[in-house]
Amino acid sequence: QQQQQQKASFIMMKSALLFLVGTLALCSATVYFKEEFGAGWEDRWIQSQHMDSYGEFVASAGQFYGDEARDTGLKTSQDAKFYSMAAKLDKPFSNKDKDLVVQYTVKHEQKIDCGGGYLKLSPSTVDPADFNGETPYNIMFGPDICGSTKRTHLIFNYKGENHLRTKDLKCESDELTHLYTLVVHPDQTYDVLIDEQSVGSGSIEEDWSILPPRTIKDPSLSKPEDWVDEELMADPNDVKPDGWDDIPQYIPDPEAEKPEDWDDEDDGEWEPPTIENPEFKGEWKPKMISNPDYKGEWVHPEIDNPDFVEDKEIYAFDDFGVVGIDIWQVKSGTIFDNILITDSLDEAKEHAKETWAKLKVDEKAKYDADREEKKKAADEERAKRDAEIKEMEEDDDEDDDVAAEADDEKAAKREEKLEALKKQKSEL
């Protein structure tokens, strides 16, 4: 019993210690920017005046949500428009020697076909009132969808040039809210998460062509002329069998018979159709054997790249001061919300727990209920159309005593209505 009490005490102490460590981590976290689009968001976000044709952002929780105030975000409201709006951070910051965590939610409620859903993080020198597609940024992050191209952008600016990841990251394109999280570490590694599940991670140096390669192929060397890299060779002792080339590829069909009405004088000499010859073996080739002179695949020796200069601060930016949305959308309806920029992944997880995690439960339940209701209504409408079509077809069978001219006119109208009903049914 004493051992059990000691074990229980140890577990309680361990739990308390873990709670204390977690609490201290949250207390030491720095939140550089947080936006949930509550009251006063219009004062924090500035509509770009770079063009006078930008689409309008509106505050909306969308069609499906839990708590309207909590789930209200910034929604695109006009089709076929560019959108551009940005907000200043209270205080610029640098992520040097610290983690950088960027997190937000985005929902494409409009069944998006072509449009962006990403954020841009720019230096404090950028003017939000002139935010546009040419505005410099440090990082661009988030989904971009157009047709079959669906990817999560993660672009780093390095010495004035924007660098895309060499391989695309997946993104979500359904009508529900998804949580996008970017974590950049001081050791030049990164992690991209969607709905708290990693979709891509690794080294910035390796996954972006920001720096020249560390090594290059030695330009002074080339494959020796006598290098043999054919693993197999034709057997010099293999000989083509006699008569191999005498076997034709096609032969007359032995089962074909001359038609009884065939007239040689009128139709010419009858020839049976040809078929593939089952005895035909194709072009003869000698069998292959191991090549005794094979040396393996030649590997080009590499040397250090004289143009490579190591930079251990690719990840770091001296000045983050503006967060903006600058996108194009064919169909509007995307909702941005719960934007958080911090140096703590734990802080981001806690924020997600209080926002996205609560929203997604209510949203999914209402979304599924709506789909079920629409399916039921469509099924009922389809059954109604079927009944109308059946009734019309039965009426046609009974109307045999109508005068010919009237009958033709009536039949044409019935046919027109029948086709309209069938078309309506197919569109349900």
Side-chain angles (χ1 to χ4, degrees):
Q1 186 177 1
Q2 185 177 4
Q3 287 181 338
Q4 290 178 339
Q5 290 177 343
Q6 289 176 341
K7 185 177 181 180
S9 297
F10 175 75
I11 293 174
M12 290 178 64
M13 288 177 63
K14 184 177 180 181
S15 299
L17 181 61
L18 290 173
F19 175 78
L20 179 61
V21 170
T23 303
L24 289 173
L26 288 175
C27 290
S28 63
T30 300
V31 174
Y32 304 112
F33 183 85
K34 181 190 288 187
E35 181 60 81
E36 297 175 1
F37 296 100
W41 71 267
E42 302 97 328
D43 299 327
R44 297 185 292 273
W45 287 79
I46 300 172
Q47 173 61 54
S48 175
Q49 302 302 313
H50 184 76
M51 296 191 306
D52 57 9
S53 58
Y54 282 125
E56 181 184 4
F57 281 109
V58 297
S60 173
Q63 188 177 359
F64 309 111
Y65 54 86
D67 180 272
E68 186 171 9
R70 181 196 67 206
D71 300 335
T72 291
L74 201 61
K75 180 180 178 179
T76 58
S77 66
Q78 296 171 283
D79 293 347
K81 289 283 187 178
F82 286 101
Y83 290 83
S84 192
M85 185 173 269
K88 281 271 191 182
L89 276 61
D90 291 338
K91 182 181 178 181
F93 75 94
S94 169
N95 68 317
K96 186 176 180 180
D97 299 327
K98 294 177 287 187
D99 282 348
L100 171 66
V101 182
V102 181
Q103 180 171 278
Y104 71 109
T105 58
V106 64
K107 169 163 60 173
H108 300 302
E109 197 171 58
Q110 73 275 42
K111 296 182 179 179
I112 190 167
D113 52 354
C114 189
Y118 43 79
L119 300 181
K120 292 181 178 180
L121 278 61
S122 295
S124 61
T125 52
V126 163
D127 179 8
D130 193 44
F131 206 76
N132 64 85
E134 300 300 318
T135 298
Y137 59 83
N138 298 333
I139 295 175
M140 187 174 109
F141 170 60
D144 190 22
I145 296 164
C146 199
S148 61
T149 301
K150 301 178 181 181
R151 60 184 173 184
T152 296
H153 271 309
L154 180 49
I155 302 176
F156 290 101
N157 184 279
Y158 183 74
K159 295 184 177 180
E161 292 188 14
N162 296 327
H163 296 267
L164 283 74
R165 191 173 184 269
T166 52
K167 292 183 179 179
D168 285 346
L169 295 164
K170 63 165 281 190
C171 74
E172 298 295 336
S173 59
D174 59 28
E175 301 158 60
L176 300 175
T177 300
H178 294 282
L179 181 74
Y180 284 78
T181 308
L182 166 65
V183 186
V184 179
H185 299 291
D187 64 357
Q188 313 243 69
T189 61
Y190 71 97
D191 197 4
V192 174
L193 304 96
I194 300 179
D195 298 340
E196 299 184 325
Q197 300 297 315
S198 179
V199 296
S201 62
S203 162
I204 297 175
E205 182 183 330
E206 293 174 2
D207 293 348
W208 278 260
S209 299
I210 294 176
L211 300 178
R214 289 176 175 264
T215 61
I216 60 172
K217 294 177 180 178
D218 188 341
S220 67
L221 297 177
S222 58
K223 185 170 71 172
E225 293 183 1
D226 61 348
W227 187 276
V228 179
D229 51 13
E230 289 83 22
E231 187 173 359
L232 300 175
M233 59 174 286
D235 186 352
N237 297 320
D238 195 15
V239 180
K240 180 165 60 176
D242 291 338
W244 182 281
D245 294 334
D246 297 333
I247 303 173
Q249 184 175 356
Y250 299 98
I251 59 173
D253 185 352
E255 297 182 1
E257 296 181 359
K258 179 179 178 180
E260 293 181 1
D261 59 350
W262 187 276
D263 188 315
D264 290 342
E265 290 185 4
D266 294 337
D267 302 326
E269 184 180 354
W270 180 80
E271 295 182 358
T274 59
I275 60 172
E276 292 277 352
N277 185 356
E279 302 296 326
F280 181 70
K281 298 179 182 180
E283 180 185 358
W284 181 82
K285 294 181 180 179
K287 67 180 181 180
M288 303 300 285
I289 60 173
S290 296
N291 189 344
D293 297 324
Y294 175 64
K295 296 182 179 180
E297 182 180 353
W298 186 75
V299 179
H300 200 134
E302 295 195 340
I303 59 172
D304 290 338
N305 185 354
D307 295 328
F308 176 79
V309 178
E310 187 167 20
D311 186 345
K312 294 185 178 182
E313 295 184 356
I314 300 173
Y315 78 95
F317 296 89
D318 293 332
D319 179 14
F320 286 99
V322 172
V323 56
I325 303 170
D326 179 72
I327 57 174
W328 159 264
Q329 292 203 330
V330 175
K331 288 169 62 178
S332 62
T334 295
I335 300 175
F336 297 83
D337 199 6
N338 304 312
I339 302 173
L340 180 71
I341 304 174
T342 179
D343 63 357
S344 168
L345 182 57
D346 288 334
E347 178 72 28
K349 289 180 178 178
E350 195 65 27
H351 186 245
K353 188 186 299 183
E354 296 301 316
T355 53
W356 169 75
K358 292 180 178 179
L359 160 64
K360 70 173 184 175
V361 176
D362 297 328
E363 179 186 55
K364 186 67 164 63
K366 292 181 178 179
Y367 174 78
D368 288 344
D370 179 75
R371 291 189 68 182
E372 184 61 33
E373 185 178 335
K374 288 179 178 177
K375 180 179 181 300
K376 181 180 178 181
D379 289 343
E380 291 175 353
E381 189 64 26
R382 195 175 290 108
K384 180 181 175 182
R385 295 284 184 268
D386 284 340
E388 291 182 32
I389 293 170
K390 183 178 179 181
E391 182 180 354
M392 289 186 66
E393 291 174 341
E394 290 175 349
D395 287 346
D396 286 342
D397 294 337
E398 296 173 1
D399 290 343
D400 295 331
D401 300 328
V402 183
E405 183 177 347
D407 190 52
D408 289 343
E409 183 179 351
K410 186 177 180 180
K413 289 182 178 180
R414 283 182 177 279
E415 186 65 27
E416 184 179 347
K417 185 176 180 180
L418 191 60
E419 289 301 317
L421 286 171
K422 290 180 178 179
K423 183 178 179 182
Q424 291 173 2
K425 178 186 172 184
S426 68
E427 292 173 350
L428 292 175

